[in-house]
Amino acid sequence: MAPNLPPNPSNSLDAFAAEKLAGLEAAALRRRLAVTARGPEAAAERGGRRLVSFSCNDYLGLAHDPRVIAAASDALRRYGAGAGASRLVTGNSPPLAALEERLARHKGKEAALVFGSGYLANLGIAPALVGQGDLILIDDLGHSCLFAGARMSGALTLRFAHNDVAQLRALLAEQRGAARRALILTERVFSMDGDRAPLPEILALAGAYDAWTLVDDAHGLGVVEPGQRAPLEMGTLSKTLGSYGGYLCASRAVIDLLTSRARSLVYTTGLPPASAAAALKALEIVEAEPEHAARPLMLARRFTARLGLPEATSPIVPVLVGAAESALALSAALEARGFLVVAIRPPTVAPGTARLRVAFSAAHDAAQVDALAEALAELAPDSLRAA
Ligand SMILES: *Cc1c(COP(=O)(O)O)cnc(C)c1O
């Protein structure tokens, strides 16, 4: 026995967790994991029921494409299940090099660097480029990992209101002079709202103030017209490309610096070779089949037109509900009708803006989209009127 230890330390730990959980439960903010078997054609099986999923980010259905699966299986057999080490040691398998070359070409950049995930990419990029004495300006609706990377960098981090170019200009005018370096963080397509950043305006401002711009393209790659590219184009292999992993495309100098300095690359095991091979095949398909890549946005527009919502500008359509509890109830009602549309609650979105986030895929057919629209019109007429 160790007499100086407080009695039952594990009880205070469990009491802490239980109390926190009770608070979350009371606010309808507790989250639970539900085992979900995804299949082809946007199918998802949960609790023994087969649902049509409108919650996957696999916008082109490539996770189940036989060509992607074959490429992954080949790599799996040839190189094994895991990378075995950091990419800087022995974990830099041949499919990674091929994927980086293809990503760079796709984005019109000199080079690319693949990370273990999009989240890891964003944890590594900002801290390698800016630090104390520097400035980060970030869109208020930026993804959690953009904020996490900004915090880790130690740079002064200021938010600008979502897509508010005038406020961004004002902040640059006010703060740029005092900072050595400045970095602007935004997204091509915003993950929970489906709208797009005004990139031409932001890039022009960045040029005028010698600020560097990082665009998170997690939800844009392959499914929206990219428009102007930023000097730093990051994204994920786990949405449209149907695999797993993250990347940055940039100049050769920037990629070489990140290869040495991004801690979330240096100190973590390389991506499994099969994941890289799958993403490479998926990217080839995205480039070779533009009609397929155009389908999710077309279906999203069909949906917004049927419900009288503002026209979709990406495959993501938010249906604003408001209270977290109501969003959960609406999601459950849709699930009872065979649709998987997961409720999005704070802190993922601002308090009072809980919503259903409807994600369209090339794997849906028009009849499924129409059926969902009909169900929503019946179950949530108020949310639709408010929009
Ligand atoms: C999903 C997402 C990420 C993280 O990518 P992962 O590969 O899933 O870690 C980063 N940014 C945005 C905007 C995202 O939606």
Side-chain angles (χ1 to χ4, degrees), residues 221-366:
L221 181 100
V223 289
V224 301
E225 282 299 320
Q228 216 174 327
R229 308 278 197 195
L232 301 161
E233 287 271 341
M234 72 73 58
T236 177
L237 310 176
S238 30
K239 286 165 182 159
T240 292
L241 298 182
S243 178
Y244 195 72
Y247 66 85
L248 172 70
C249 294
S251 66
R252 170 53 65 192
V254 167
I255 293 301
D256 286 350
L257 175 66
L258 270 283
T259 304
S260 286
R261 297 304 299 275
R263 279 175 294 185
S264 59
L265 177 94
V266 176
Y267 298 108
T268 190
T269 300
L271 194 67
S275 300
L280 174 57
K281 178 54 73 179
L283 186 55
E284 288 170 14
I285 294 171
V286 165
E287 290 181 355
E289 300 178 0
E291 337 71 54
H292 188 64
R295 257 181 79 76
L297 180 55
M298 186 196 76
L299 292 172
R301 290 194 164 143
R302 181 182 179 100
F303 177 80
T304 50
R306 286 186 89 87
L307 289 177
L309 293 167
E311 184 178 57
T313 54
S314 78
I316 303 166
V317 178
V319 176
L320 247 52
V321 177
E325 264 170 306
S326 321
L328 284 177
L330 183 54
S331 170
L334 286 172
E335 190 169 330
R337 296 187 179 204
F339 303 105
L340 184 59
V341 192
V342 175
I344 308 291
R345 293 169 286 162
T348 306
V349 293
T353 72
R355 67 196 63 183
L356 299 187
R357 172 188 179 274
V358 188
F360 293 91
S361 163
H364 292 130
D365 61 38

Side-chain angles (χ1 to χ4, degrees), residues 137-142 147 159-164 185-186 190:
L137 299 172
I138 180 168
D139 187 287
D140 203 33
L141 294 189
F147 280 94
R159 299 168 171 236
F160 56 94
H162 178 51
N163 282 346
D164 188 337
L185 304 177
T186 189
F190 283 83

Side-chain angles (χ1 to χ4, degrees), residues 117-119 122 143 145 187 191 216 218-219 234 236 238-239 244-245:
S117 73
Y119 200 107
N122 274 335
H143 192 270
C145 60
E187 299 182 14
S191 59
D216 183 329
H219 295 277
M234 72 73 58
T236 177
S238 30
K239 286 165 182 159
Y244 195 72

Side-chain angles (χ1 to χ4, degrees), residues 3-363:
N4 291 333
L5 286 180
N8 297 323
S10 68
N11 275 358
S12 69
L13 172 60
D14 290 351
F16 163 76
E19 190 191 320
K20 280 286 191 194
L21 269 177
L24 290 172
E25 187 82 54
L29 295 180
R30 177 170 178 170
R31 302 179 185 212
R32 289 188 165 79
L33 294 167
V35 173
T36 310
R38 290 197 333 114
E41 275 137 40
E45 203 178 295
R46 245 188 206 187
R49 293 188 61 229
R50 195 186 148 92
L51 306 165
V52 182
S53 173
F54 285 91
S55 288
C56 299
N57 300 317
D58 176 17
Y59 299 112
L60 300 179
L62 292 174
H64 287 87
D65 188 293
R67 296 164 291 181
V68 173
I69 292 171
S73 335
D74 281 354
L76 185 60
R77 263 189 284 274
R78 197 173 312 176
Y79 304 110
S86 162
R87 293 191 59 192
L88 290 165
V89 184
T90 59
N92 194 35
S93 61
L96 279 164
L99 173 61
E100 285 176 345
E101 204 186 303
R102 189 79 186 211
L103 279 166
R105 180 147 46 103
H106 182 83
K107 291 273 190 174
K109 297 288 180 195
E110 288 172 8
L113 187 61
V114 168
F115 291 77
S117 73
Y119 200 107
L120 284 172
N122 274 335
L123 287 188
I125 296 167
L129 296 175
V130 293
Q132 270 187 21
D134 298 329
L135 174 68
I136 290 181
L137 299 172
I138 180 168
D139 187 287
D140 203 33
L141 294 189
H143 192 270
S144 168
C145 60
L146 288 169
F147 280 94
R151 209 170 303 130
M152 283 175 66
S153 76
L156 171 66
T157 299
L158 304 172
R159 299 168 171 236
F160 56 94
H162 178 51
N163 282 346
D164 188 337
V165 175
Q167 193 185 8
L168 176 62
R169 180 184 299 111
L171 285 170
L172 281 166
E174 233 171 79
Q175 306 280 345
R176 178 66 185 98
R180 248 177 339 173
R181 300 181 278 261
L183 178 62
I184 298 169
L185 304 177
T186 189
E187 299 182 14
R188 181 161 280 109
V189 171
F190 283 83
S191 59
M192 295 300 137
D193 292 74
D195 59 344
R196 305 217 220 159
L199 289 180
E201 290 88 341
I202 290 176
L203 290 167
L205 269 181
Y209 284 92
D210 187 26
W212 309 330
T213 305
L214 178 146
V215 168
D216 183 329
D217 197 25
H219 295 277
L221 181 100
V223 289
V224 301
E225 282 299 320
Q228 216 174 327
R229 308 278 197 195
L232 301 161
E233 287 271 341
M234 72 73 58
T236 177
L237 310 176
S238 30
K239 286 165 182 159
T240 292
L241 298 182
S243 178
Y244 195 72
Y247 66 85
L248 172 70
C249 294
S251 66
R252 170 53 65 192
V254 167
I255 293 301
D256 286 350
L257 175 66
L258 270 283
T259 304
S260 286
R261 297 304 299 275
R263 279 175 294 185
S264 59
L265 177 94
V266 176
Y267 298 108
T268 190
T269 300
L271 194 67
S275 300
L280 174 57
K281 178 54 73 179
L283 186 55
E284 288 170 14
I285 294 171
V286 165
E287 290 181 355
E289 300 178 0
E291 337 71 54
H292 188 64
R295 257 181 79 76
L297 180 55
M298 186 196 76
L299 292 172
R301 290 194 164 143
R302 181 182 179 100
F303 177 80
T304 50
R306 286 186 89 87
L307 289 177
L309 293 167
E311 184 178 57
T313 54
S314 78
I316 303 166
V317 178
V319 176
L320 247 52
V321 177
E325 264 170 306
S326 321
L328 284 177
L330 183 54
S331 170
L334 286 172
E335 190 169 330
R337 296 187 179 204
F339 303 105
L340 184 59
V341 192
V342 175
I344 308 291
R345 293 169 286 162
T348 306
V349 293
T353 72
R355 67 196 63 183
L356 299 187
R357 172 188 179 274
V358 188
F360 293 91
S361 163

